[in-house]
Amino acid sequence: MKGAGLRGARRRTAGALAVGVLLAVAAVGCANPRGGAEGPKPEQGGTLTFASWHWLESGRGELLQAAVSKYTARRPGVTIRKQAVTRAEYEKTMSTQIGAGRGPDVFIIPDTYFPELAEADALEPLDGLLDPATEARLLPAASDFVVGGKRLALLSEQSPYGLFWNKKLLDQAGVTPPKSFDELFTAAETVHKRTGKIGFAGRHQMNEEPIWWSDHANWTYGFGGRWSDGERLTINSPQNVAAETAFKKMYDSPAFSLGDDASTYRSKFAAGQVGLIIDCATCMRTMVNDNKVVPTGSVGGSAIPFPSGGGSAYVALGLGINPHSRNKALARDFLKWLYSPEGQQALQRVNHPSTVGTDIEVPADLLATTPWVKPVYDALPKARKPVVDGFGSDTPRIRRIVLSQVERILTRDADPETALDQAQREAVEETR
């Protein structure tokens, strides 16, 4: 029965994507035929378009440019063209372009977006791209981008989440780093009362839905919850209800950064206006990079102190090739170089404190820039991806149903148990 439900859901997903493709083609007037082209050989040179929101991130964009410049130094006839898209618009932009037979040659793929692309046959297979020695060095999370035994993308980075705090504000408030949710709540309120600053910040709005889902998974997993058992949806489990009850309590506190999107509250943390934050480690590095107000040494970090004992989410990003690319030979050559020792070392300087795709050793000078990251790394083995087990391509629809009910809990004071019961019914019906 479950298998039939998944097949039905996949047919509806494919149908919806097909409609999107037709609309996109109508909007642009024409589209490249399916299949793309090999294009010039790497030694002949050419232009390769690389899409990522990292191009827009202060500090990180420059590091990414430095990394790809090492490739073009080897291939002087090749130019890397940056396609910079904001994170909030990324999935929509890629879907529209790829659906219209266009888009970048190589692009970053969020883990929650990957099942949609795989289901729509919108990724060029990468089997055989890497030599056996490199394959053996891939991290376990590389399997997140394998479907039916076929590798459709390569793991670019895996970023753990943690609890981070401004040491100065906690010291001013006279509180110690929290080791439980109750202590976190008390610490946030105390920071707010004694310093006048924001006690705690986190995503909480539907206008950031895809990324909010990943962030919010830390509450779900942290309280021992799951959205499914791999076969059946478990949206209204007692653990999930407990997680939403706790999140609502924090949201209702005057210490919470109410109404702030991620860009806003991260800027406030960087300006010394936020005491505690749950975020991915890479984002924290961006906040404190070359920051004289909140330097990296004034930040503390730990595993997320929720009842499951460190259970949290991770953000995994893949790198894939657009099947409509006219430069597939160049794209494969670029990815093959990126997973060479030289390429991985260059990418590590872009991604740190995220991992890269292989098990290379992180240089000591990089670790010294993030003294708060070790306890976050230590919790990574307990972390899980924010994709609904057994319902990969259905995750976007489940996500919208669940977060719509979470929003009702937050903004309309809906009872958490009742709201998740409703989400369970809607999601089960949607995925039959």
Side-chain angles (χ1 to χ4, degrees):
M1 187 72 175
K2 174 64 176 66
L6 272 179
R7 287 193 294 273
R10 287 170 178 162
R11 284 195 295 270
R12 288 196 298 277
T13 301
L17 287 167
V19 171
V21 168
L22 291 174
L23 290 174
V25 171
V28 300
C30 62
N32 292 335
R34 171 75 178 170
E38 287 298 303
K41 295 180 179 179
E43 56 270 21
Q44 294 175 312
T47 299
L48 194 70
T49 302
F50 180 9
S52 175
W53 60 90
H54 297 148
W55 295 118
L56 299 171
E57 295 180 1
S58 177
R60 197 173 191 194
E62 291 81 358
L63 289 170
L64 183 56
Q65 181 62 57
V68 300
S69 293
K70 293 182 181 296
Y71 170 73
T72 55
R74 294 179 69 254
R75 299 290 193 193
V78 176
T79 299
I80 303 291
R81 177 186 294 154
K82 297 184 290 187
Q83 183 178 349
V85 182
T86 64
R87 181 64 187 91
E89 294 294 319
Y90 190 79
E91 282 94 333
K92 179 181 177 181
T93 301
M94 292 299 102
S95 293
T96 300
Q97 292 183 355
I98 294 172
R102 301 182 291 110
D105 299 299
V106 176
F107 63 115
I108 291 288
I109 304 168
D111 47 12
T112 53
Y113 184 39
F114 172 75
E116 296 179 66
L117 294 168
E119 188 70 30
D121 195 23
L123 291 166
E124 186 74 9
L126 300 180
D127 291 321
L129 178 71
L130 303 179
D131 60 67
T134 304
E135 284 274 356
R137 298 189 65 187
L138 294 176
L139 297 183
S143 63
D144 292 353
F145 300 98
V146 175
V147 175
K150 293 184 178 181
R151 189 175 304 285
L152 298 179
L154 291 169
L155 176 67
S156 174
E157 67 175 284
Q158 183 184 16
S159 183
Y161 279 90
L163 173 70
F164 304 102
W165 57 87
N166 182 318
K167 293 180 180 178
K168 182 179 179 180
L169 288 183
L170 264 62
D171 287 345
Q172 288 178 356
V175 299
T176 57
K179 300 185 182 303
S180 67
F181 169 73
D182 288 339
E183 289 184 10
L184 173 61
F185 180 81
T186 300
E189 291 220 312
T190 303
V191 167
H192 179 64
K193 290 175 183 176
R194 294 182 180 176
T195 71
K197 310 297 186 183
I198 294 168
F200 180 84
R203 279 193 174 98
H204 56 282
Q205 300 178 94
M206 287 297 287
N207 60 3
E208 296 186 292
E209 179 194 331
I211 320 105
W212 182 21
W213 176 257
S214 297
D215 287 9
H216 195 65
N218 290 294
W219 294 78
T220 306
Y221 299 162
F223 278 78
R226 301 286 184 270
W227 299 117
S228 79
D229 61 9
E231 292 290 329
R232 297 170 298 175
L233 294 174
T234 57
I235 293 169
N236 57 348
S237 71
Q239 295 88 347
N240 292 351
V241 171
E244 301 309 333
T245 301
F247 189 61
K248 169 64 170 173
K249 181 178 180 180
M250 183 66 81
Y251 177 91
D252 284 344
S253 169
F256 187 75
S257 61
L258 188 64
D260 286 346
D261 62 12
S263 177
T264 301
Y265 65 69
R266 286 171 179 163
S267 294
K268 290 181 178 180
F269 188 96
Q273 301 299 308
V274 177
L276 301 114
I277 189 171
I278 289 176
D279 214 329
C280 66
T282 307
C283 296
M284 179 51 59
R285 183 194 181 193
T286 301
M287 283 180 249
V288 300
N289 184 50
D290 293 328
N291 187 341
K292 292 181 172 54
V293 178
V294 184
T296 189
S298 70
V299 173
S302 73
I304 299 173
F306 290 163
S308 66
S312 62
Y314 63 76
V315 175
L317 301 179
L319 268 173
I321 298 175
N322 181 354
H324 301 293
S325 168
R326 294 294 188 178
N327 299 287
K328 289 180 181 176
L330 281 179
R332 284 196 291 269
D333 187 68
F334 175 63
L335 291 186
K336 189 172 183 178
W337 172 82
L338 201 56
Y339 285 80
S340 70
E342 180 189 27
Q344 288 288 277
Q345 289 164 10
L347 192 60
Q348 182 68 78
R349 295 200 170 273
V350 179
N351 289 351
H352 182 76
S354 292
T355 69
V356 285
T358 60
D359 61 355
I360 69 165
E361 186 175 352
V362 181
D365 68 303
L366 278 184
L367 290 173
T369 68
T370 54
W372 35 263
V373 81
K374 187 180 185 304
V376 180
Y377 276 162
D378 291 345
L380 191 54
K382 296 183 179 180
R384 299 171 61 90
K385 62 184 178 181
V387 177
V388 183
D389 290 340
F391 296 81
S393 60
D394 293 319
T395 294
R397 290 182 294 155
I398 296 170
R399 176 183 73 207
R400 176 159 287 274
I401 290 168
V402 171
L403 290 182
S404 293
Q405 290 299 324
V406 173
E407 187 177 57
R408 290 186 62 246
I409 294 169
L410 299 180
T411 64
R412 302 183 190 179
D413 293 326
D415 173 66
E417 184 173 0
T418 302
L420 292 190
D421 282 345
Q422 179 64 28
Q424 174 78 10
R425 289 191 294 270
E426 291 180 15
V428 167
E429 180 62 30
E430 184 69 16
T431 57
R432 284 189 187 282

